[in-house]
Amino acid sequence: MIAFPTPATITAVYEENYRTKTFVLDTNLSGYPGQFVMLWLPRFDEKPFSLVNDNPVTLMITAVGPFSRLVHTKEVGERLWLRGPFGQGYHVPATEQRLALVGGGYGVAPLYWLARTQIARAATIDVIIGARTAAEILFAERFQRLQQEYTNLTLHLTTEDGSVGQRGRVTAALQPLLATHSVDGLYACGPHGMLAALERLAQDAQLPCQLSWEAYMRCGIGICGACEHEGKVLCLDGPVLVSG
């Protein structure tokens, strides 16, 4: 683990959609899906970002505020500072062979890494990606390439306006899988409203689930308490919390 902000050089930048880029850095960490790093820009600010990969460090960053917009101006050869990895990620029991991975918006980032770690051992992996419109869908092409290589992965796309995939929210794509008892474990990342709805569905189906909750993290090590969620400090106890 890197305890203090350490410089890393950008080796590649990929545009995912109109406001999201993926940055590959020349740094390796020892982490696992669901963990995050704190990214720092000197004399500006520090923010948490989920890892898309740890070797090399890969981060998907959506331009939603001053910090992320400034990161978007960085190009190959420039430097970013990071520390981590931090937090509790996903841990898939060997008994769970049929997995459902559900990502809303940029919550899909850690799930792509999780899918890659489980694809060789799982019987089936149903990946559900949701967004408001087709223009906001993320990582669909990456999962499609994974689907072409591995027949046990099935990709489901949902959009609220019906511009691509199934019209509606991710819960509409998940419910048929739960009704046919095709899932042993649910893993998700996205906005709080989506996670709360998924948690209720999992509880009704008596299905174990691991949910990665978003929060404003300042310290990353459980000191400041800014990311408190239902009595837990998400940067230390989470961001992935086990339910069921």
Side-chain angles (χ1 to χ4, degrees), residues 47-74:
K47 297 289 184 181
F49 291 96
S50 293
L51 285 161
V52 176
N53 197 19
D54 65 342
N55 187 6
V57 170
T58 305
L59 306 171
M60 187 184 77
I61 298 177
T62 299
V64 295
F67 184 90
S68 52
R69 286 195 290 269
L70 183 55
V71 174
H72 270 220
T73 68
K74 303 298 181 180

Side-chain angles (χ1 to χ4, degrees), residues 67-195:
F67 184 90
S68 52
R69 286 195 290 269
L70 183 55
V71 174
H72 270 220
T73 68
K74 303 298 181 180
E75 300 176 348
V76 171
E78 295 190 82
R79 294 192 298 179
L80 301 172
W81 282 254
L82 61 87
R83 58 187 176 98
F86 297 115
Q88 304 300 318
Y90 300 103
H91 293 279
V92 183
T95 53
E96 294 182 10
Q97 293 292 315
R98 300 172 300 171
L99 312 179
L101 278 52
V102 184
Y106 45 82
V108 71
L111 299 180
Y112 178 62
W113 186 12
L114 179 62
R116 298 199 323 274
T117 66
Q118 300 299 315
I119 194 69
R121 59 155 293 274
T124 60
I125 299 180
D126 284 277
V127 178
I128 303 173
I129 300 175
R132 290 181 297 178
T133 69
E136 296 179 322
I137 287 284
L138 290 165
F139 278 20
E141 292 183 357
R142 295 174 186 246
F143 277 110
Q144 286 166 350
R145 289 194 295 268
L146 204 57
Q147 183 176 231
Q148 291 170 359
E149 186 177 355
Y150 295 93
T151 58
N152 59 331
L153 187 144
T154 303
L155 176 63
H156 311 261
L157 300 180
T158 70
T159 49
E160 294 181 24
D161 66 354
S163 52
V164 69
Q166 180 178 343
R167 185 186 185 94
R169 299 182 175 178
V170 293
T171 49
L174 177 64
Q175 284 173 319
L177 299 174
L178 299 183
T180 56
H181 305 286
S182 302
V183 180
D184 298 324
L186 172 63
Y187 300 81
C189 182
H192 279 229
M194 184 197 89
L195 295 182

Side-chain angles (χ1 to χ4, degrees), residues 32-38 48-50 85-91 110 188-189 192 195 210-215 217 220-222 227-243:
Y32 50 91
Q35 289 189 296
F36 66 95
V37 297
M38 298 297 293
F49 291 96
S50 293
F86 297 115
Q88 304 300 318
Y90 300 103
H91 293 279
C189 182
H192 279 229
L195 295 182
Q210 297 183 29
L211 308 176
S212 180
W213 296 88
E214 297 176 347
M217 297 177 184
I221 54 176
C227 59
E228 187 275 335
H229 172 77
E230 295 182 351
K232 295 185 178 181
V233 180
L234 288 179
C235 69
L236 194 63
D237 302 318
V240 176
L241 299 179
V242 179
S243 177

